[in-house]
Amino acid sequence: MPAKRSQNWLPGIFNDFFGNEWVEKANAASPAINIKESDSEYKVEVAAPGMTKDDFSIKIDADNQLIVSMEKKEEHKDENKKEKYLRREFAYTQFQQIMILPDNVEKDKIEAKVENGVLQIDIPKKQIAVEEKKVKEIAIK
């Protein structure tokens, strides 16, 4: 059963709007996630040491959820017959995180990259046009 931990992994607007403070992860050893917000975007950072872009899949489903999946398999090659593993914990890694996107994001402009052991997902916010305050004179009849 996936581990549930209370984690403040979403910016305040996400928690306030969706009331979702429980994060369901694929396993208890899930990578650390940071989410930052600026005036123009959200940035999601996932710790991914040793991973490449080919190990990740990022999708937006019909329910407006951002689904980040990672899977890394390492084949067992017995090149050295004089050694054997007494304990091996990093032969297979799998992870999935689901995040509900707020309505104010540009889904078509989301970008991702893996650099220095971190998967970074940039989620731009929609730009809201600010109307200039206009002075309107009303004619007196």
Side-chain angles (χ1 to χ4, degrees):
M1 180 173 178
K4 283 191 178 181
R5 298 188 318 213
S6 179
Q7 224 180 20
N8 190 13
W9 63 278
L10 294 171
I13 188 170
F14 285 69
N15 284 335
D16 293 344
F17 189 72
F18 296 105
N20 184 3
E21 290 186 8
W22 289 92
V23 178
E24 188 168 317
K25 293 192 173 188
N27 60 47
S30 297
I33 296 177
N34 294 329
I35 299 181
K36 298 187 277 188
E37 179 182 10
S38 69
D39 292 339
S40 61
E41 69 181 345
Y42 298 101
K43 282 189 185 286
V44 178
E45 299 171 330
V46 180
M51 303 297 162
T52 66
K53 67 178 188 173
D54 297 328
D55 298 326
F56 287 96
S57 169
I58 303 171
K59 300 175 185 172
I60 299 174
D61 69 7
D63 295 326
N64 205 35
Q65 298 179 112
L66 182 72
I67 302 170
V68 179
S69 303
M70 183 269 297
E71 184 173 9
K72 178 103 172 164
K73 294 180 183 179
E74 294 182 19
E75 294 182 21
H76 295 280
K77 294 181 182 178
D78 294 329
E79 294 173 1
N80 188 347
K81 299 288 183 182
K82 295 179 183 179
E83 293 181 336
K84 65 179 181 177
Y85 283 99
L86 298 178
R87 181 174 178 159
R88 184 174 178 137
E89 294 184 343
F90 56 89
Y92 177 78
T93 306
Q94 185 177 18
F95 161 78
Q96 182 177 59
Q97 179 68 62
I98 299 173
M99 295 171 251
I100 300 170
L101 292 172
D103 293 332
N104 70 334
V105 299
E106 295 277 357
K107 292 184 225 174
D108 296 334
K109 295 182 180 178
I110 294 174
E111 295 180 352
K113 65 181 175 183
V114 177
E115 191 172 80
N116 298 324
V118 176
L119 168 68
Q120 180 175 306
I121 306 167
D122 297 326
I123 306 170
K125 292 181 179 180
K126 290 180 182 175
Q127 297 301 316
I128 300 171
V130 178
E131 284 189 36
E132 290 183 31
K133 294 182 180 180
K134 297 179 183 179
V135 176
K136 181 179 178 181
E137 192 161 329
I138 300 172
I140 301 172
K141 295 182 184 180

